[in-house]
């Protein structure tokens, strides 16, 4: 993650420098604002942009559901047909705000189906379809049938790898079963979402796991699974660990404070790790894509050179992101399983 962040920073700095020099000889309308383009594609929106043709944007409008803070009424519309008083506030990532009669601007209750929400529904439909298809295959077979091949065999191999080699070994034989379904769901959700996010056209391309709200919810679920179902040995290690008395009680309860702080830092690390890696990968790919248009705006010589460089790096980054899509899903599931396993410690007699 550190290498990606360093590379992203250096590459963005170079792009901004090139963009600034290219804009000197162009009008404001012709200048390519790479940071704005990248941030626009990484952020959530109330419509699904598909393509642009002759200066016109082809987008799929998504349902907007907001409650007026002024009248208390619910409004069902799209981003292009907002009721009077509502507007998209560009200063706050294009979210819907409402202007009150006294001039005050407020954020209404917003239950809209945004691009991220729509992408999550698409991923859910894909996963349900895949596993229903696999379950029908198994219903037609018994224990004497041959092992599955093709697509069903690939899914079985992936499930057994995560279930046996990761979940069972990390949590333990006695306690892994109640958590297996949750951890398998988390793995396939993150993995599928990451893969679909690499598809540049509809119904892919949404930056779901690069959204801090999504990774926050996943980390929160893991934190609840750890702390609600942790056994007494887990809580004993937090409030009364096996250390000298001066470290856990007198004069200051140093170790209990550190362990309590660790309850929050573990899920926080899960949240930031997934969010930062996926957002950085999308930002790098989008930046290299923008280089193609930037090169031609600077002339044929720059265009050929930068385009060749961009295409090579785009192919490399997309192949790398396919690997990262699996690795990040695997790491999130593995760390969640390890943290859950630590919450089910066995008592060791002296």
């Amino acid at each position: 993650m550190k290498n990606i962040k360093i590379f992203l920073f250096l590459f963005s700095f170079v792009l901004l420098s090139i963009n600034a020099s290219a804009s000197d000889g162009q009008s404001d309308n012709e200048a390519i604002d790479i940071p704005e383009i990248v941030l626009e594609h990484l952020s959530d929106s109330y419509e699904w942009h598909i393509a642009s043709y002759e200066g016109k944007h082809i987008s799929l409008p998504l349902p907007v559901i907001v409650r007026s803070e002024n009248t208390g009424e619910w409004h069902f519309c799209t981003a292009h047909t907002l009721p009077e008083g509502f507007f998209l506030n560009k200063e706050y990532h294009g979210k819907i705000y409402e202007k009150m009669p006294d001039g005050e601007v407020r954020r209404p209750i917003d239950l809209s189906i945004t691009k991220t929400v729509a992408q999550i529904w698409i991923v859910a439909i894909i996963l349900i379809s895949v596993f229903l298809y696999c379950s029908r295959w198994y219903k037609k077979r018994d224990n004497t049938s041959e092992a599955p091949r093709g697509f069903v065999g690939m899914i079985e191999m992936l499930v057994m790898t995560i279930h046996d080699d990761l979940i069972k070994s990390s949590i333990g034989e006695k306690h892994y079963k109640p958590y297996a379904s949750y951890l398998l769901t988390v793995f396939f959700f993150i993995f599928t979402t990451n893969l679909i996010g690499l598809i540049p056209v509809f119904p892919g391309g949404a930056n779901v796991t690069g959204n801090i709200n999504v990774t926050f919810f996943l980390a929160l679920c893991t934190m609840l699974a750890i702390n609600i179902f942790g056994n007494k040995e887990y809580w004993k290690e937090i409030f009364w660990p096996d250390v000298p008395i001066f470290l856990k009680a007198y004069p200051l309860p140093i170790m209990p404070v550190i362990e309590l702080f660790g309850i929050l830092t573990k899920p926080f690390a899960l949240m930031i790790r997934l969010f930062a890696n996926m957002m950085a990968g999308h930002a790098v790919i989008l930046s290299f894509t923008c280089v193609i248009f930037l090169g031609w705006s600077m002339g044929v010589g720059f265009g050929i050179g930068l385009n060749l460089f961009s295409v090579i790096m785009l192919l490399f980054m997309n192949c790398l992101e396919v690997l990262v899509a699996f690795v990040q899903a695997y790491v999130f599931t593995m760390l969640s399983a390890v943290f859950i396993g630590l919450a089910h410690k066995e008592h060791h007699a002296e």
Side-chain angles (χ1 to χ4, degrees):
M1 184 179 70
K2 290 181 179 179
N3 292 335
I4 293 178
K5 289 170 68 177
I6 293 172
F7 173 78
L8 176 62
F9 173 78
L10 294 175
F11 180 73
S12 300
F13 178 78
V14 173
L15 276 183
L16 290 173
S17 301
I18 297 175
N19 188 33
S21 61
S23 302
D24 291 339
Q26 298 175 334
S27 65
D28 293 337
N29 295 328
E30 295 175 348
I32 300 175
D33 193 343
I34 294 178
E36 182 180 353
I37 295 174
V38 173
L39 292 176
E40 181 182 353
H41 282 78
L42 291 178
S43 61
D44 201 3
S45 64
Y46 295 96
E47 61 182 11
W48 202 309
H49 182 266
I50 299 175
S52 296
Y53 179 72
E54 295 183 351
K56 296 181 179 180
H57 298 291
I58 304 174
S59 303
L60 177 66
L62 299 172
V64 172
I65 307 171
V66 292
R67 180 181 181 273
S68 174
E69 292 291 318
N70 183 29
T71 63
E73 297 179 357
W74 286 93
H75 298 277
F76 300 87
C77 55
T78 65
H80 300 287
T81 59
L82 289 175
E84 185 178 356
F86 291 89
F87 65 97
L88 297 176
N89 195 334
K90 295 183 179 180
E91 296 180 0
Y92 293 92
H93 308 289
K95 295 299 183 181
I96 294 177
Y97 277 75
E98 182 182 6
K99 190 173 183 179
M100 309 302 290
D102 59 358
E104 183 184 0
V105 176
R106 294 184 183 179
R107 179 86 163 95
I109 298 176
D110 190 354
L111 302 180
S112 304
I113 310 301
T114 61
K115 184 178 179 180
T116 299
V117 176
Q119 185 77 92
I120 292 174
W121 286 6
I122 292 173
V123 171
I125 292 172
I126 291 174
L127 290 178
I128 291 172
S129 302
V130 166
F131 287 107
L132 285 179
Y133 173 78
C134 293
S135 66
R136 281 197 293 268
W137 188 94
Y138 285 103
K139 285 181 180 179
K140 299 177 182 178
R141 271 78 175 176
D142 53 25
N143 295 334
T144 60
S145 302
E146 294 183 356
R149 298 178 181 179
F151 180 75
V152 178
M154 180 188 70
I155 296 297
E156 180 183 299
M157 179 192 67
L158 199 55
V159 170
M160 297 308 296
T161 298
I162 302 301
H163 183 273
D164 294 343
D165 299 339
L166 194 154
I167 299 174
K168 185 186 293 187
S169 60
S170 298
I171 300 178
E173 291 279 349
K174 296 182 179 180
H175 307 290
Y176 81 92
K177 289 185 179 180
Y179 306 99
S181 57
Y182 162 68
L183 293 173
L184 282 169
T185 302
V186 167
F187 171 80
F188 280 100
F189 172 77
I190 296 176
F191 182 45
T192 307
T193 302
N194 292 345
L195 288 180
I196 293 179
L198 295 176
I199 301 174
V201 295
F202 179 84
N207 185 33
V208 176
T209 47
N211 188 318
I212 194 81
N213 298 306
V214 176
T215 58
F216 168 78
F217 178 76
L218 294 174
L220 178 64
C221 292
T222 297
M223 186 181 74
L224 294 176
I226 294 170
N227 295 287
I228 292 178
F229 304 104
N231 61 14
K232 62 180 181 180
E233 288 296 322
Y234 167 72
W235 291 107
K236 176 183 176 296
E237 289 294 325
I238 292 177
F239 292 107
W240 200 255
D242 294 329
V243 295
I245 191 68
F246 67 88
L247 290 177
K248 60 184 177 182
Y250 180 82
L252 293 173
I254 298 175
M255 290 302 297
V257 171
I258 293 175
E259 292 295 334
L260 280 173
F261 187 68
I263 292 177
L264 299 176
T265 56
K266 291 175 182 177
F268 181 79
L270 287 175
M271 175 184 71
I272 296 299
R273 182 189 299 274
L274 180 59
F275 161 73
N277 279 278
M278 299 314 301
M279 186 188 69
H282 279 267
V284 171
I285 291 175
L286 289 169
S287 299
F288 279 121
T289 305
C290 291
V291 170
I292 297 175
F293 303 97
L294 177 62
W296 287 115
S297 67
M298 298 171 63
V300 177
F302 281 103
I304 296 175
L306 287 177
N307 283 0
L308 181 60
F309 171 75
S310 299
V311 169
I312 294 174
M313 292 304 298
L314 273 174
L315 292 174
F316 170 75
M317 285 303 303
N318 275 281
C319 293
L320 181 62
E321 282 299 301
V322 172
L323 176 62
V324 171
F326 174 81
V327 170
Q328 290 305 315
Y330 188 90
V331 169
F332 190 98
T333 308
M334 179 186 67
L335 292 178
S336 298
V338 170
F339 294 154
I340 292 173
L342 292 175
H344 292 275
K345 292 182 178 181
E346 298 293 338
H347 177 71
H348 298 284
E350 294 183 1

